[in-house]
């Protein structure tokens, strides 16, 4: 176990730093077409690294600077309670959702339901085979929703991969009835423009609205045409989910011409993704607000009319952000944490050469009132532990830890592990706990690590891409008050009012 007050710091040799600087240069100059944010739905290729990087990784393990292959390390205030390895599915594990005593875990091959009534011994209740990258998942009442963001032969769970250039190909949202957790039933599907990379729920009494985020259109894709500068909004009647349908496509980045009005990306802004849609949206229904992470832009918008969201403010960071990936409000809704997924989640970006400001979180204060509110940048946060050049590592999915008067968050960093941090002082964020494993390999870069790490009813749950479902117990006087907060349901991208 590594103590939090003595974090590991890797002292990189000059040659290794130069090699990493070469990676940074490649990331800075790569055009949007050359990068694929988030792993695809096919087999992930192992990337060979240089002999010098391989030797350096082994030396760092031998010296104790980084944990050994698959070795688990954590701060003293975190306990690793359980790990449930993959069973039927061999695909990448992805996002998580929660309801009562159940956790719902996405996988590129389908989804899995766990009984977490005993966090020390989670039990698999169901495994549903339904391939389709990336199977981002959420739940509301008796309905479960999964995103399909790979071109498929049809909308069934028996579909096969098919080129997006074919008009008959299908991508979009799938809807399941989970009234019987052991036997989910597939009840509906809705095709959406450019598929559904992620989605966010805006639940109401009679209906559930789904904000569908997707991106990367092409003139050669019949169902995904440029500029694709908005989101699909689906309306799902709770009592008749088979009638679910797209009801609007609000344009978030209005502009003339084929490119719309979002960030133009390179060569105007080298290394920044051109905005052609959104990657992820977090809604805060109690405040009628949403925050969108939209490739080259971060946005704040009003969702008073859920079918027609209205942009309030739009910001860019063309110095340190490459790909705006996700967003998290604080409880008071006067801050937003945006993540930058530098390298698309498939690169080693947690090292000294790339530094503390790229592949990090950006913390923004929300100032002003009503439709005149503005996003004001305050600082960056990145995990303080350097990782090996064989470890994909960058800011990824996380959630609030609900403590009154504090802004605390738990967050996944792929092979950088799980970080618990405090951003109560927007300008001076700091880590207070962590959990991680050593690299999957010392000679190749393999995709793995925590995809999502969320706090739910007293525990942290993490879906590790390669290693399975982890349960962590956090014991710290700063976070212990959160144990008194119990939710009936949690979709992190539909952020609750924890104290209502």
């Amino acid at each position: 176990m590594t103590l939090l007050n003595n974090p590991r710091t890797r002292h990189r040799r000059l040659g290794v730093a130069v090699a990493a600087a070469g990676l940074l240069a490649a990331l800075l100059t790569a055009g949007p077409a050359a990068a694929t944010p988030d792993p695809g739905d096919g087999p992930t290729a192992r990337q060979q690294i240089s002999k010098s990087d391989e030797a350096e990784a082994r030396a760092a393990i031998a010296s104790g600077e980084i944990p050994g292959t698959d070795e688990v390390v954590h701060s003293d205030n975190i306990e690793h309670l359980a790990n449930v390895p993959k069973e039927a599915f061999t695909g990448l594990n992805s996002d998580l959702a929660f309801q009562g005593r159940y956790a719902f875990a996405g996988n590129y091959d389908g989804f899995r339901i766990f009984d977490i009534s005993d966090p020390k011994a989670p039990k698999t209740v169901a495994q549903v085979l339904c391939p389709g990258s990336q199977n981002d998942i959420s739940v509301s009442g008796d309905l479960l929703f999964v995103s399909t963001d790979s071109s498929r032969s049809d909308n069934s769970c028996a579909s096969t991969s098919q080129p997006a250039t074919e008009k008959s190909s299908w991508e979009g949202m799938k809807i399941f009835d989970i009234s019987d957790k052991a036997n989910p039933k597939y009840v509906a599907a809705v095709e959406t423009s450019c598929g559904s990379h992620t989605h966010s729920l805006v639940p109401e009494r009679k209906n559930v609205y789904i904000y569908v985020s997707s991106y990367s259109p092409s003139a050669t894709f019949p169902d995904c045409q440029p500029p694709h500068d908005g989101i699909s909004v689906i309306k799902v009647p709770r009592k008749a989910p088979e009638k679910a349908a797209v009801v609007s496509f609000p344009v978030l980045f209005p502009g003339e011409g084929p490119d719309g009005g979002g960030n133009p990306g390179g060569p105007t802004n080298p290394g920044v993704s051109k905005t052609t849609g959104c990657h992820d949206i977090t809604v805060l229904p109690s405040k009628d607000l949403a925050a969108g992470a939209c490739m080259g832009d971060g946005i704040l918008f009003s969702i008073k009319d859920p079918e027609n969201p209205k942009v309030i403010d739009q910001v860019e960071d063309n110095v340190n952000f490459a790909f705006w990936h996700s967003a998290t409000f604080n409880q008071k809704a006067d801050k937003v944490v945006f993540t930058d997924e530098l390298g698309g989640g498939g690169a080693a970006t947690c090292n000294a050469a790339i530094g503390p400001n790229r592949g990090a979180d950006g913390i923004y204060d929300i100032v002003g009132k009503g439709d005149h509110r503005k996003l004001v940048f305050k600082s960056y946060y990145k995990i303080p532990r350097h990782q090996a050049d064989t470890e994909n590592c960058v800011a990824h999915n996380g959630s609030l830890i609900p403590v009154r008067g504090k802004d605390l968050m738990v967050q996944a960093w792929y092979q950088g592990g799980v970080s618990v941090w405090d951003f109560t002082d927007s300008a001076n964020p700091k880590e207070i706990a962590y959990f991680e494993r050593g690299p999957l390999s010392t000679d190749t870069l393999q995709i793995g690590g925590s995809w999502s790490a969320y706090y739910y009813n007293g525990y942290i749950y993490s879906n590790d891409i390669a290693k399975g479902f982890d349960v962590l117990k956090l014991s710290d006087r700063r976070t212990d008050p959160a144990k008194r907060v119990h939710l009936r349901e949690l979709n992190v991208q539909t952020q609750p009012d924890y104290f209502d």
Side-chain angles (χ1 to χ4, degrees):
M1 181 184 299
T2 305
L3 299 178
L4 185 63
N5 59 11
N6 185 26
R8 287 173 282 104
T9 301
R10 297 186 59 191
H11 303 287
R12 305 174 67 89
R13 294 186 295 277
L14 178 61
V16 176
V18 169
L23 168 63
L24 176 58
L27 291 170
L28 284 170
T29 58
T36 305
D38 295 323
D41 68 330
T44 54
R46 300 184 178 189
Q47 302 174 35
Q48 202 68 35
I49 65 170
S50 68
K51 291 295 183 182
S52 62
D53 282 358
E54 179 182 344
E56 197 258 354
R58 291 179 176 175
I61 291 172
S63 68
E65 292 179 4
I66 64 172
T69 301
D70 287 342
E71 179 188 358
V72 171
V73 296
H74 52 81
S75 53
D76 279 346
N77 51 1
I78 279 186
E79 181 182 357
H80 188 202
L81 295 183
N83 171 261
V84 184
K86 294 180 181 180
E87 293 179 337
F89 301 149
T90 59
L92 309 178
N93 283 332
S94 57
D95 210 3
L96 293 168
F98 305 89
Q99 186 182 82
R101 61 188 176 95
Y102 297 99
F104 304 82
N107 179 285
Y108 277 47
D109 291 336
F111 64 90
R112 194 172 176 185
I113 302 177
F114 294 100
D115 183 335
I116 55 172
S117 53
D118 180 0
K120 293 182 179 179
K123 297 178 181 178
T124 300
V125 174
Q127 297 186 79
V128 177
L129 179 64
C130 199
S133 160
Q134 55 186 8
N135 282 334
D136 188 51
I137 193 166
S138 56
V139 294
S140 183
D142 288 337
L143 299 178
L144 177 145
F145 307 89
V146 291
S147 290
T148 299
D149 191 38
S150 62
S151 185
R152 312 297 297 180
S153 56
D154 55 52
N155 65 9
S156 75
C157 286
S159 67
T160 57
S161 294
Q162 184 169 289
T165 52
E166 295 189 23
K167 177 61 178 174
S168 63
S169 295
W170 184 92
E171 300 179 63
M173 291 297 307
K174 294 170 182 168
I175 305 171
F176 291 78
D177 183 322
I178 54 168
S179 52
D180 180 356
K181 300 296 188 292
N183 296 286
K185 295 179 181 179
Y186 185 12
V187 296
V190 180
E191 186 171 13
T192 54
S193 175
C194 299
S196 174
H197 192 72
T198 66
H199 68 270
S200 308
L201 304 185
V202 185
E204 294 189 340
R205 289 184 179 181
K206 295 182 179 180
N207 305 299
V208 178
Y209 288 95
I210 308 174
Y211 289 174
V212 176
S213 296
S214 55
Y215 54 92
S216 295
S218 169
T220 65
F221 299 162
D223 298 320
C224 183
Q225 292 286 299
H228 191 70
D229 49 8
I231 58 174
S232 297
V233 179
I234 298 173
K235 182 179 180 180
V236 185
R238 288 188 185 276
K239 294 184 177 180
E242 68 278 2
K243 296 181 180 179
V246 175
V247 293
S248 67
F249 186 87
V251 174
L252 303 178
F253 304 98
E256 296 181 1
D259 295 330
N263 196 316
T268 303
N269 297 316
V272 178
S273 291
K274 176 182 176 180
T275 298
T276 57
C278 290
H279 179 278
D280 210 344
I281 292 169
T282 292
V283 300
L284 189 59
S286 64
K287 304 292 186 182
D288 288 329
L289 282 176
C294 303
M295 304 183 73
D297 295 86
I299 60 173
L300 180 70
F301 52 100
S302 166
I303 57 170
K304 288 181 180 179
D305 178 356
E307 292 189 17
N308 298 286
K310 175 186 176 182
V311 175
I312 296 173
D313 195 24
Q314 175 181 349
V315 292
E316 296 177 355
D317 180 345
N318 295 316
V319 175
N320 287 313
F321 262 46
F323 187 88
W324 295 66
H325 176 275
S326 54
T328 303
F329 288 99
N330 70 335
Q331 179 61 33
K332 291 183 179 179
D334 58 9
K335 298 175 188 175
V336 180
V337 174
F338 288 103
T339 67
D340 172 30
E341 195 181 43
L342 175 68
T349 69
C350 297
N351 52 42
I354 288 179
N357 296 338
R358 291 183 59 78
D361 296 317
I363 304 168
Y364 286 73
D365 282 355
I366 302 174
V367 300
K369 295 182 179 181
D371 290 350
H372 300 289
R373 283 171 283 192
K374 297 291 183 182
L375 294 165
V376 178
F377 174 77
K378 300 301 291 186
S379 68
Y380 298 105
Y381 170 76
K382 194 171 184 179
I383 56 173
R385 296 168 309 286
H386 293 152
Q387 306 296 307
D389 289 334
T390 56
E391 294 180 279
N392 61 306
C393 175
V394 74
H396 215 237
N397 294 348
S399 76
L400 289 186
I401 297 176
V403 175
R404 288 185 185 274
K406 297 290 184 181
D407 296 325
L408 305 173
M409 186 171 176
V410 59
Q411 186 176 7
W413 289 78
Y414 288 122
Q415 286 194 71
V418 175
S419 177
V420 179
W421 58 290
D422 184 333
F423 63 104
T424 306
D425 180 349
S426 303
N428 295 286
K430 58 184 180 181
E431 185 173 74
I432 61 175
Y434 71 88
F435 167 91
E436 69 168 297
R437 290 181 170 89
L440 291 170
S441 169
T442 57
D443 56 13
T444 57
L445 194 158
Q446 300 178 25
I447 301 300
S450 180
W451 178 291
S452 298
Y454 299 145
Y455 186 92
Y456 177 68
N457 292 353
Y459 297 89
I460 293 170
Y461 297 90
S462 166
N463 212 18
D464 188 291
I465 292 171
K467 294 298 181 181
F469 183 70
D470 287 306
V471 185
L472 309 175
K473 183 179 180 181
L474 177 63
S475 299
D476 189 289
R477 60 177 178 80
R478 293 164 289 189
T479 60
D480 285 346
K483 296 176 182 178
R484 297 193 291 268
V485 177
H486 279 259
L487 304 177
R488 290 175 292 180
E489 195 170 86
L490 177 63
N491 302 294
V492 169
Q493 287 74 33
T494 304
Q495 205 167 305
D497 183 339
Y498 286 97
F499 303 114
D500 183 7

